[in-house]
Amino acid sequence: MLFRSVYSYLVSAIIAIVILTGFPLTAQTLAGYTFCLDPGHGPGNTNTGPTGLHEHVINLRAARALSDLLYSVQADTVILTRDETTTTNPTLSQREQIANLNNVDWFHSVHHNATGWPENPSIRYTLVLYSENSDHTPLNPGSENMAPLISQRLFQGLRTSEYRVFGDYSFYGTPNYLGVLNDLTMPSELSEATFHDHPGEEAKLYNPDFTRLEGRGIFYGMLDYFTGIHYTDGVISGIITDSDTNLPLDSVRVTLTPGDSI
């Protein structure tokens, strides 16, 4: 069990994450596959949550966690469109060009949604989009099958309110609307795991363990698609509060029963 402070702002809160695995991850492999992961936005982007957590920061954390997991099952190559050394915000066409020039098998863009808080403080669903042509067929076939797997896995892991999947034409009313996907030559999708401007979700997103859990959700969806084997696990996550005051608690030890795991 891993505990880290998520944010100290008036009160201290922690998020506890427990992952109970069903069988060894080494039973699966993505050898032979190459991926391009796109941490949405970048330095200079002003998308922030209620207390100032930048979306581009959590996008990179989740993408990095996903990259590590893909390599753990022998993926041949995982390319990021930007990393911790990037000082600018790459253009959408630059991101697409990286994937196309390297002829990767799959492209995934990592984002976190927003409603313009505080106007809609209760919205926190998971959304995954893929690029659609004018006849509502996928721009690159395969995306329409991968997207629901990833969306459901993110929903199950992050415990958002629900999960949604759309082609961008169906969602926005314009064919090939998503600029980071519309010139790609391989299947792709864009995930909005949760809403970074929802106060409770932002608090959880401060915790690197939570963004690793997000990367794990995307990863499981990819494993479902490529291997056809449904990796089973159980996740317990949340902010622990005092039973009398209902205020978040820090430095908590939790015992799971049966088994007395601490």
Side-chain angles (χ1 to χ4, degrees):
M1 177 176 291
L2 301 175
F3 293 102
R4 282 188 174 85
S5 174
V6 284
Y7 192 60
S8 297
Y9 183 75
L10 299 181
V11 295
S12 295
I14 66 98
I15 175 171
I17 298 174
V18 183
I19 300 173
L20 311 172
T21 57
F23 58 88
L25 196 58
T26 52
Q28 299 184 17
T29 178
L30 292 181
Y33 291 105
T34 59
F35 299 87
C36 181
L37 306 181
D38 173 47
H41 308 299
N45 181 267
T46 58
N47 293 356
T48 58
T51 65
L53 179 60
H54 282 269
E55 184 197 354
H56 72 83
V57 172
I58 50 180
N59 292 344
L60 180 55
R61 287 180 189 165
R64 179 64 73 186
L66 175 57
S67 174
D68 291 344
L69 286 165
L70 290 171
Y71 274 127
S72 76
V73 289
Q74 294 83 50
D76 281 11
T77 304
V78 182
I79 300 168
L80 270 65
T81 59
R82 65 179 181 89
D83 61 20
E84 293 79 3
T85 66
T86 304
T87 58
T88 59
N89 189 352
T91 66
L92 300 182
S93 60
Q94 286 173 333
R95 297 166 192 262
E96 291 176 313
Q97 188 176 40
I98 290 170
N100 289 338
L101 289 177
N102 285 280
N103 195 31
V104 300
D105 296 302
W106 213 277
F107 179 96
H108 186 88
S109 188
V110 177
H111 285 255
H112 294 79
N113 220 333
T115 63
W117 185 89
E119 284 76 10
N120 298 292
S122 63
I123 297 177
R124 58 179 198 91
Y125 60 81
T126 294
L127 174 67
V128 178
L129 301 166
Y130 59 91
S131 191
E132 277 184 323
N133 297 311
S134 58
D135 60 357
H136 291 280
T137 59
L139 174 64
N140 294 300
S143 306
E144 78 282 14
N145 297 319
M146 175 78 86
L149 297 173
I150 289 175
S151 189
Q152 183 175 17
R153 285 294 203 162
L154 284 170
F155 161 74
Q156 292 171 341
L158 304 186
R159 296 296 191 258
T160 54
S161 60
E162 62 180 300
Y163 66 95
R164 304 178 184 182
V165 181
F166 293 97
D168 60 353
Y169 187 10
S170 300
F171 192 75
Y172 293 107
T174 303
N176 306 133
Y177 178 86
L178 292 172
V180 74
L181 305 183
N182 62 15
D183 287 320
L184 292 171
T185 58
M186 73 291 300
S188 59
E189 60 284 315
L190 181 150
S191 61
E192 306 268 13
T194 188
F195 282 71
H196 72 89
D197 67 348
H198 180 287
E201 297 300 285
E202 186 200 36
K204 290 184 282 188
L205 287 164
Y206 269 104
N207 189 336
D209 286 337
F210 192 73
T211 46
R212 279 195 285 271
L213 190 60
E214 178 183 338
R216 192 180 180 95
I218 300 170
F219 172 66
Y220 282 170
M222 290 180 168
L223 284 181
D224 291 343
Y225 180 87
F226 284 111
T227 70
I229 303 172
H230 190 74
Y231 184 76
T232 58
D233 70 355
V235 176
I236 302 170
S237 66
I239 293 176
I240 300 175
T241 59
D242 184 278
S243 59
D244 295 323
T245 66
N246 205 37
L247 292 175
L249 297 173
D250 202 358
S251 302
V252 175
R253 291 170 63 86
V254 175
T255 302
L256 301 181
T257 55
D260 294 329
S261 297
I262 298 176

